[in-house]
Amino acid sequence: MSVLERQQEAGHAIRSPVINDFSLVVATANGTGSQTANLTLLRSFFKLGIPVHGKNIFPSNIQGLPTWYHIRVSHEGYIARRPSEILVAFNPATAHDDVQELPSGGVCIYSADLKNLPQRNDLIYYRVPVGELIAGIDVPVKRKPYIANMAYVGVVAWMLEVPLEVVEEALGAQFGYRQKLVESNQQVVDRAYAWAAENLSKQDPFRVEPMNKTEGLIVMTGNEAGALGAVFGGASVAAWYPITPSTSFMDALREYLPKLRKDDQGKPTYTIIQAEDELAAAGMLLGAGWAGARAVTSTSGPGISLMAEFVSYGYFTEVPAVIWDIQRVGPSTGLPTRTSQGDIAFAYTLGHGDTKHPILLPSSIEECFEFGWKSLDLAEQLQTPVFVLSDLDLGMNNWMGRPFEYPDQPMQRGKVLSAEQLQAMGGFARYKDVDGDGIPYRTLPGTDHPLAAYFNRGSGHNEQAQYSERAEDWLNNMARIARKFETARDLVPAPATELNPSARVGIIAFGTTRYAIEEARDRLAHRLPTSLLRLRALPINQAVRDFVAAHERVYVIELNRGGQMHGILQNELPEFAGRLRSIAYLDGMPLTARWVEDRLLKEEESSL
Amino acid sequence: MENPTPPSTDRAQVIKTNAIGLSKKDYDGAPSTLCKGCGHNSIASQIVQVGFELNLRAHEIIKLSGIGCSSKSPAYFLGMSHGFNALHGRMPSVSTGALIANHTLRAIGVSGDGDTGSIGMGQFKHLMRRNVRMVYIVENNGVYGLTKGQFSATAEEGLQLKYAGVNEFPQVDLCMEAIIAGCGFVARSFAGDAKQVRELLKAALSHRGTAVLDIISPCVAFNNEDDSPKSYGYGTKHEKPLHELGFIPYAEEISIEPMEPGEFRTVRLHDGSHISLRNLDSGYDPTHKLAALERLQRAQDTREFITGLIYYNPDRPSLAEVEELDTPLAQLSAEQLRPSKAALDQFLQSYR
């Protein structure tokens, strides 16, 4: 429920102040540089100590198509998407619809260049004479549209009572050391602020007040956090092919690795290869993993499709690799710039034949970092391709988070035999289950011992990695790999559980839907108390079984059409298949708390 | 009638060893499961011979392949070296990854004409663009053997085969593709010409970049009629070496001189060894890119079976050099791979 709704329900006068609790949307055309202006606003709220989150809803386009930037400001710390009360209308192509979508009592800050803006009696309008405000500012002509966006920054700052020095600080952070850019942009902000103060009168109830809820926090995108995790996880080979929304993962790696990963002589301890396609990227990963490097790639659904053949190979020949899938909306090209959780079922069993892969499911930048290094450990421990399924919302948007915790365990390199160990053991069998955990021993090419070599092959093989079509060899090998997957259950990150003793209903979720779900649970605290289990990885462990067993009904909420995780859980927990219910939805936008709340109530009504 | 080998009373005396004390047998692999008489088997035995003669250390070699008859053969040589039998057409990407992880390894890759010229053409070309250091052997017979004789992309236009019918499409010349992709060591040979295969293999191992050996290797099951340009009969009769080749390990530096027909010259390879070329083809200069392409095209037009070192250019840096690789990435310690906690905390300052 928005503040406006609440105020209206409570019969409050609309004008009583609404502090640190609103959602603001900036509507612009793609490619006009509005991202800088939007991040300046986001950072300003962050610097004021108010929990904030921004979501860029952008088109698959370089220039011209509409784009929206949603900023949620919440003193309570809720950061899920919520319909906006405040609109900055700077895109003539969408202004009409944008205005119509505002709730009653909402605010419309609009560029004076817009024609035929719908006039609604229940809205508050502020007009921004952009041309006037940027006249005479000394910037190259091509940068004019960019600084024009600073006009709305100034007016928003005036309206919400954001101190100008805070905006200046945020601008500085945006531009880094490029002082001249800071100055010209700041000039426009100042002018717009002064102009608004003199010519507009504040009629809306929204404003900010400093608080201390962001102290010590950082702001980062999930892709940056994941890449940083990979840097600290010792990723030494990255091979990739550009695809939205994963590209910024590799951009971050390309920025971070040279800063953090040079040896004593200044030589890189990594290589990044831009491959010719995702097939090749996956091949490079497996080649590198086989030879002993820590290999990582990032891609999205269409890339996963191409990687299927190598993932099947990697599963069967037991080669470590880490694949980040920053999920976007499929099938096919789908909605390449919109978020989804639609690759779960595909990735879990990617490849022909009997295959199953560990999947890590981050929901925050902290988990992106943690899984960034942990996935590389797991891949080498389990000798298999490991997926990290993030999504566009997490990967490309800026999120607050606690400063990342340094890896709390030494780097895990798995069961790799040295020449000395081989000598002591008198040789080894590549695919033999020595320890009973299904995980065999391996040697790396280059190991100087006559018994080190084995032949890595995707065809049927026996324990010695020799070609075999014998039924027994096939059965034994596949049974051992299945055993390895059982070992994985307690090696992968355990789920995070919030048990509510009075709840008969449980929710299972994963990834970024948690924010809408957490807010919805709070709103439902009295009408429908729930427990929450947030999956952080597949395969599931006993904790998931226990959670389902402890509730009468368990809703699996996810961002796809078919209820993919629901299907996986029903399969894994056949005895509870009946109590697992699916709430699955995907329209290209992140879930809202309101939607989750309504759906849960509706499902509960129909189950009674 | 065959003469059985006389039983040896003292084996140690008859087994010849190389400079590192290994016998030729130590370079063997598993017994071949390919057809008797397959050209691929003779190439495998030349790899064994070369390993022995060059004193190769098994652990410094990796052998890779794709899928197909040719790609089975890494199992049949250098049994003490790590091997990677990859996916169909994907040997190049796996090699790239493996050799980035450990650029000190020397790689021998074996592919076929289907594996390289059809399903793997993209990866083949990008491997050479990046100049990944490896010996890339194409065992080229113009047909798919394991699936019973379909044409591959290197089959000659108009070629008629019992199973496949008439090939209506122009052939892909893998040497031309290699030269155009930027490969600096491009050779063609014939599985029936053991000496030339051997000398080219040795020279290719000395090249610090991708070295492509397109070896016509007859398929005795599906493409060995005497009128087929990829048959033993045709090759034996028509092979036209551009030069007589010889490999000279670690000789002193000798510069390249322009040459006339019949002239002799040596070309220095990256590791200081040389290849000697006694020219048999009027004025042919293997360091001239356009001339090489022109010669290949002329050979295709007139169905000449030219062999030898077709193009050589040592100038481009290898991928490992471009990436400034030093200690093999696969051998870095955890300390080298994971920056300190202080580095993390400091790095995060700029995200506050």
Side-chain angles (χ1 to χ4, degrees):
Chain A
M1 201 186 314
S2 78
V3 176
L4 286 179
E5 289 171 275
R6 266 203 299 253
Q7 288 201 336
Q8 279 161 351
E9 275 181 16
H12 284 175
I14 196 91
R15 294 298 304 277
S16 51
V18 177
I19 297 159
N20 295 349
D21 189 6
F22 55 85
S23 178
L24 177 157
V25 61
V26 180
T28 53
N30 199 31
T32 57
S34 54
Q35 184 75 343
T36 308
N38 300 332
L39 289 176
T40 300
L41 285 173
L42 180 93
R43 280 195 176 276
S44 298
F45 302 132
F46 180 75
K47 284 180 186 298
L48 284 168
I50 317 162
V52 63
H53 168 62
K55 287 192 196 301
N56 194 17
I57 309 297
F58 64 102
S60 177
N61 161 259
I62 292 172
Q63 205 167 56
L65 287 180
T67 177
W68 295 268
Y69 195 79
H70 294 254
I71 299 176
R72 172 96 187 257
V73 171
S74 163
H75 60 88
E76 290 168 299
Y78 295 127
I79 54 172
R81 183 173 73 89
R82 191 178 77 178
S84 296
E85 303 90 3
I86 304 168
L87 164 70
V88 174
F90 264 52
N91 184 1
T94 62
H96 188 272
D97 289 351
D98 292 339
V99 170
Q100 296 299 9
E101 278 175 23
L102 280 171
S104 190
V107 178
C108 173
I109 297 165
Y110 66 101
S111 164
D113 297 341
L114 294 186
K115 307 268 186 299
N116 306 319
L117 203 65
Q119 294 301 310
R120 283 174 51 185
N121 294 330
D122 58 343
L123 298 183
I124 295 152
Y125 288 88
Y126 299 120
R127 177 177 166 278
V128 186
V130 180
E132 195 180 309
L133 293 172
I134 64 168
I137 302 279
D138 179 26
V139 287
V141 177
K142 69 174 175 128
R143 288 206 72 86
K144 287 264 177 185
Y146 292 64
I147 61 163
N149 292 314
M150 290 297 155
Y152 68 71
V153 173
V155 173
V156 169
W158 162 80
M159 182 191 120
L160 294 172
E161 300 174 22
V162 180
L164 267 176
E165 61 272 17
V166 173
V167 181
E168 187 166 2
E169 212 184 317
L171 251 182
Q174 274 313 116
F175 284 110
Y177 296 104
R178 290 170 294 170
Q179 195 50 40
K180 189 154 176 11
L181 286 176
V182 178
E183 277 168 23
S184 53
N185 281 280
Q186 182 67 36
Q187 230 177 324
V188 180
V189 175
D190 291 349
R191 263 198 212 182
Y193 191 101
W195 180 90
E198 193 164 322
N199 296 282
L200 302 174
S201 67
K202 184 166 169 67
Q203 300 158 42
D204 67 273
F206 303 103
R207 65 185 176 84
V208 295
E209 262 178 20
M211 51 193 302
N212 62 355
K213 281 201 174 173
T214 66
E215 211 175 312
L217 299 187
I218 58 171
V219 174
M220 214 182 218
T221 67
N223 282 350
E224 290 170 324
L228 192 62
V231 170
F232 281 81
S236 51
V237 172
W240 70 295
Y241 186 76
I243 181 170
T244 302
S246 77
T247 304
S248 60
F249 185 100
M250 280 295 159
D251 287 344
L253 259 191
R254 284 164 53 211
E255 182 191 336
Y256 300 164
L257 280 169
K259 289 179 181 167
L260 291 160
R261 287 275 302 279
K262 295 277 177 73
D263 69 11
D264 303 342
Q265 274 78 48
K267 297 272 189 188
T269 59
Y270 60 86
T271 288
I272 305 174
I273 307 261
Q274 184 182 321
E276 55 269 33
D277 54 34
E278 289 92 344
L279 292 171
M284 290 174 194
L285 236 54
L286 292 201
W290 171 70
R294 309 259 279 185
V296 65
T297 190
S298 70
T299 185
S300 193
I304 294 292
S305 293
L306 291 188
M307 291 179 181
E309 63 169 359
F310 263 121
V311 171
S312 174
Y313 183 98
Y315 173 83
F316 186 58
T317 60
E318 305 179 59
V319 178
V322 171
I323 300 170
W324 281 73
D325 174 3
I326 317 301
Q327 296 168 94
R328 64 190 219 184
V329 178
S332 189
T333 309
L335 301 172
T337 60
R338 299 304 174 92
T339 197
S340 107
Q341 296 177 326
D343 295 345
I344 309 290
F346 186 46
Y348 193 45
T349 59
L350 189 69
H352 56 284
D354 289 313
T355 51
K356 258 189 187 181
H357 316 289
I359 293 181
L360 309 190
L361 299 162
S363 70
S364 63
I365 57 172
E366 291 97 323
E367 285 178 345
C368 282
F369 178 81
E370 180 191 341
F371 297 174
W373 61 264
K374 212 166 253 180
S375 56
L376 289 157
D377 278 355
L378 285 166
E380 288 206 306
Q381 283 175 289
L382 291 164
Q383 298 179 25
T384 198
V386 169
F387 283 92
V388 186
L389 260 58
S390 176
D391 63 35
L392 180 144
D393 189 16
L394 179 57
M396 290 190 71
N397 289 317
N398 277 286
W399 302 79
M400 296 176 304
R402 292 181 308 282
F404 304 141
E405 282 171 32
Y406 193 71
D408 57 3
Q409 60 181 40
M411 195 174 285
Q412 306 291 310
R413 301 305 307 256
K415 299 181 185 177
V416 178
L417 295 172
S418 66
E420 294 71 32
Q421 288 168 307
L422 277 169
Q423 186 60 35
M425 292 164 63
F428 84 117
R430 170 66 181 102
Y431 296 115
K432 191 176 165 65
D433 188 1
V434 177
D435 304 322
D437 56 3
I439 306 171
Y441 285 79
R442 64 178 185 138
T443 56
L444 303 181
T447 305
D448 187 3
H449 193 279
L451 298 173
Y454 68 95
F455 199 82
N456 204 76
R457 46 162 53 93
S459 44
H461 44 254
N462 61 17
E463 286 183 343
Q464 284 76 37
Q466 291 157 333
Y467 183 81
S468 170
E469 295 183 13
R470 288 179 66 218
E472 269 174 75
D473 285 336
W474 184 264
L475 286 170
N476 287 342
N477 194 41
M478 290 303 280
R480 180 186 51 75
I481 301 178
R483 213 148 57 232
K484 186 165 84 165
F485 205 68
E486 293 305 308
T487 301
R489 293 187 189 279
D490 289 313
L491 271 185
V492 299
T497 309
E498 282 175 50
L499 278 180
N500 181 340
S502 57
R504 283 152 48 168
V505 167
I507 297 172
I508 291 181
F510 55 94
T512 47
T513 53
R514 72 178 279 189
Y515 301 102
I517 291 166
E518 282 165 356
E519 189 176 347
R521 285 181 67 223
D522 288 354
R523 291 160 65 123
L524 287 168
H526 302 296
R527 288 176 75 186
L528 176 63
T530 55
S531 297
L532 174 66
L533 179 138
R534 193 164 59 74
L535 289 168
R536 305 205 310 150
L538 289 175
I540 60 167
N541 65 5
Q542 185 60 34
V544 180
R545 188 180 302 267
D546 294 344
F547 179 86
V548 176
H551 295 87
E552 285 174 24
R553 284 175 300 283
V554 175
Y555 293 99
V556 183
I557 303 180
E558 54 196 305
L559 209 57
N560 54 53
R561 184 189 67 182
Q564 299 180 13
M565 186 64 86
H566 174 253
I568 289 171
L569 293 176
Q570 279 192 321
N571 243 324
E572 298 258 346
L573 304 169
E575 68 273 38
F576 296 125
R579 64 174 79 174
L580 286 161
R581 313 285 174 90
S582 175
I583 294 184
Y585 181 76
L586 177 62
D587 66 3
M589 295 291 274
L591 293 182
T592 63
R594 180 64 175 267
W595 186 89
V596 174
E597 182 185 359
D598 290 350
R599 265 307 286 274
L600 277 171
L601 288 173
K602 209 173 118 205
E603 295 291 332
E604 276 297 287
E605 263 169 42
S606 62
S607 75
L608 290 176
Chain B
M1 227 185 116
E2 285 180 56
N3 294 321
T5 317
S8 167
T9 45
D10 186 357
R11 285 191 71 84
Q13 280 179 4
V14 295
I15 293 173
K16 208 174 124 193
T17 56
N18 63 10
I20 56 170
L22 297 177
S23 72
K24 202 180 140 195
K25 212 173 172 324
D26 293 320
Y27 292 90
D28 279 348
S32 171
T33 61
L34 297 171
C35 304
K36 278 205 166 56
C38 176
H40 305 354
N41 287 332
S42 60
I43 296 169
S45 61
Q46 293 319 312
I47 295 173
V48 170
Q49 182 67 31
V50 164
F52 175 71
E53 288 180 17
L54 291 185
N55 308 309
L56 294 183
R57 291 173 198 280
H59 73 278
E60 292 173 354
I61 305 285
I62 52 173
K63 39 185 193 168
L64 303 109
S65 62
I67 292 290
C69 291
S70 59
S71 295
K72 289 174 173 238
S73 65
Y76 316 141
F77 57 80
L78 308 190
M80 293 201 301
S81 296
H82 273 81
F84 197 117
N85 178 206
L87 293 166
H88 201 12
R90 316 292 180 228
M91 175 179 84
S93 60
V94 171
S95 307
T96 304
L99 292 163
I100 277 295
N102 190 343
H103 62 287
T104 62
L105 295 169
R106 288 206 273 179
I108 299 173
V110 182
S111 175
D113 38 300
D115 197 60
T116 291
S118 292
I119 192 169
M121 182 67 108
Q123 295 207 351
F124 174 56
K125 300 214 65 154
H126 286 279
L127 176 89
M128 295 183 290
R129 268 185 70 229
R130 297 189 182 100
N131 205 21
V132 175
R133 183 184 181 174
M134 73 178 296
V135 178
Y136 190 116
I137 298 164
V138 185
E139 297 180 340
N140 188 350
N141 57 20
V143 287
Y144 287 82
L146 284 174
T147 52
K148 312 287 181 231
Q150 299 81 4
F151 287 121
S152 85
T154 65
E156 295 77 8
E157 190 171 357
L159 179 68
Q160 187 161 7
L161 294 177
K162 209 164 142 192
Y163 170 92
V166 178
N167 177 31
E168 306 285 358
F169 304 108
Q171 75 182 90
V172 167
D173 186 312
L174 293 172
C175 289
M176 281 196 209
E177 297 296 342
I179 293 169
I180 292 167
C183 184
F185 189 113
V186 181
R188 173 163 291 153
S189 191
F190 174 49
D193 186 347
K195 178 174 183 295
Q196 193 196 49
V197 167
R198 213 157 52 228
E199 299 305 292
L200 282 170
L201 270 171
K202 291 178 188 170
L205 279 162
S206 294
H207 182 66
R208 204 182 297 129
T210 312
V212 170
L213 304 187
D214 176 20
I215 305 178
I216 306 306
S217 176
C219 173
V220 292
F222 298 107
N223 189 8
N224 197 32
E225 296 295 322
D226 283 352
D227 58 343
S228 166
K230 290 188 173 64
S231 67
Y232 274 120
Y234 188 98
T236 309
K237 199 166 159 196
H238 296 284
E239 187 198 356
K240 186 178 176 192
L242 295 171
H243 28 238
E244 201 180 299
L245 281 162
F247 176 77
I248 313 162
Y250 310 107
E252 282 170 27
E253 184 159 352
I254 305 163
S255 60
I256 301 172
E257 302 292 340
M259 56 183 179
E260 295 299 322
E263 230 182 297
F264 177 86
R265 72 165 168 182
T266 59
V267 176
R268 186 180 192 274
L269 301 165
H270 281 127
D271 66 357
S273 53
H274 289 74
I275 189 159
S276 67
L277 305 168
R278 184 177 304 281
N279 205 338
L280 303 173
D281 192 63
S282 174
Y284 187 69
D285 178 1
T287 64
H288 193 292
K289 194 172 194 170
L290 281 177
L293 288 168
E294 193 273 336
R295 189 69 190 86
L296 284 166
Q297 185 61 56
R298 193 148 49 87
Q300 195 183 107
D301 294 345
T302 58
R303 293 229 162 162
E304 266 183 294
F305 181 20
I306 56 170
T307 61
L309 180 60
I310 290 170
Y311 181 61
Y312 183 68
N313 174 2
D315 295 342
R316 279 183 59 219
S318 69
L319 180 63
E321 288 164 333
V322 170
E323 300 297 336
E324 298 178 65
L325 293 173
D326 188 19
T327 308
L329 298 175
Q331 292 168 9
L332 293 169
S333 66
E335 293 68 39
Q336 289 168 301
L337 288 169
R338 174 170 289 169
S340 67
K341 181 175 190 310
L344 175 64
D345 294 343
Q346 202 212 326
F347 192 82
L348 291 175
Q349 284 299 327
S350 56
Y351 287 88
R352 281 177 192 273

